[in-house]
Amino acid sequence: LNMHISRIIRRAMGKQDILYNTVNVPGGFQSQVTIPCLGGDWARQPFVGEISYKKMDAEQSVAAIALVAVKQDPQLMSRFAQPNAKMKAAAGPTTTNYSNKGKGRGKGGSSGKGPHHQQQASTGGWNQSPSWTQAAQAAA
C-alpha cells in the first residue's frame, strides 16, 4: 500500500499520509485505515480489516483491502502508471547511438589493445631482450 500511494502522490510518504487505527476487539485486533493524502472522497473513506490475533496482521489485512480498492480506481492507477523523474532518468536519452559498444568493448581500434599492442607484436617486445623462458633455456 505504501509503495502504491507514494507513486500516486509523487513524493516520499509522511506519517500523516496513511493513518492506521488499531483497536483491541473480542478475538484479537482490528484495524481501520484512512488515506488523507489522496484527497477528496479517498481522504474520508475508512477501510476496515479482518480481526486478527496479532496487531501487525490486522494492519496488513486492512492495508490489503485498501490496496485492492486503490487498484480498482482508474484515475489513481493512471497516476500510478505515469513515470516519475527517477524512471525517466533511468530510461536514458530518447535518441542513443552507442555503435554497438558493450561492456569491455573499449574506445576504439580493431583489436581493442591500443597502439602499444601493435608495436609490441610487430617488434617482438619493447626491448629486444629474450623472454624469461629463453633466458632460462640458455642458462641450462
Side-chain angles (χ1 to χ4, degrees), residues 130-140:
S131 69
W132 181 83
T133 53
Q134 289 172 343
Q137 288 173 353

Side-chain angles (χ1 to χ4, degrees), residues 95-115:
T95 58
T96 55
N97 184 8
Y98 294 115
S99 302
N100 295 325
K101 293 287 185 180
K103 184 175 180 181
R105 296 275 184 170
K107 289 189 174 185
S110 61
S111 65
K113 301 287 186 181

Side-chain angles (χ1 to χ4, degrees), residues 111-133:
S111 65
K113 301 287 186 181
H116 69 279
H117 178 70
Q118 283 95 18
Q119 178 186 2
Q120 189 174 9
S122 63
T123 61
W126 292 110
N127 55 24
Q128 295 299 322
S129 62
S131 69
W132 181 83
T133 53

Side-chain angles (χ1 to χ4, degrees), residues 76-100:
L76 293 180
M77 291 315 296
S78 71
R79 287 169 47 190
F80 175 83
Q82 292 174 352
N84 61 17
K86 261 188 188 178
M87 293 169 94
K88 287 179 185 176
T94 56
T95 58
T96 55
N97 184 8
Y98 294 115
S99 302
N100 295 325

Side-chain angles (χ1 to χ4, degrees), residues 11-108:
R11 62 177 170 81
M13 299 288 295
K15 288 191 179 267
Q16 300 300 313
D17 289 333
I18 298 178
L19 301 174
Y20 288 92
N21 182 26
T22 304
V23 293
N24 199 351
V25 296
F29 295 93
Q30 189 171 29
S31 290
Q32 176 180 326
V33 68
T34 54
I35 312 170
C37 64
L38 293 179
D41 291 338
W42 285 99
R44 296 179 297 277
Q45 171 67 45
F47 296 95
V48 180
E50 303 284 328
I51 296 174
S52 301
Y53 292 113
K54 296 180 183 176
K55 182 179 178 180
M56 181 63 72
D57 291 343
E59 290 177 355
Q60 289 179 352
S61 165
V62 73
I65 292 168
L67 181 58
V68 167
V70 166
K71 285 183 171 182
Q72 289 177 349
D73 186 294
Q75 278 187 317
L76 293 180
M77 291 315 296
S78 71
R79 287 169 47 190
F80 175 83
Q82 292 174 352
N84 61 17
K86 261 188 188 178
M87 293 169 94
K88 287 179 185 176
T94 56
T95 58
T96 55
N97 184 8
Y98 294 115
S99 302
N100 295 325
K101 293 287 185 180
K103 184 175 180 181
R105 296 275 184 170
K107 289 189 174 185

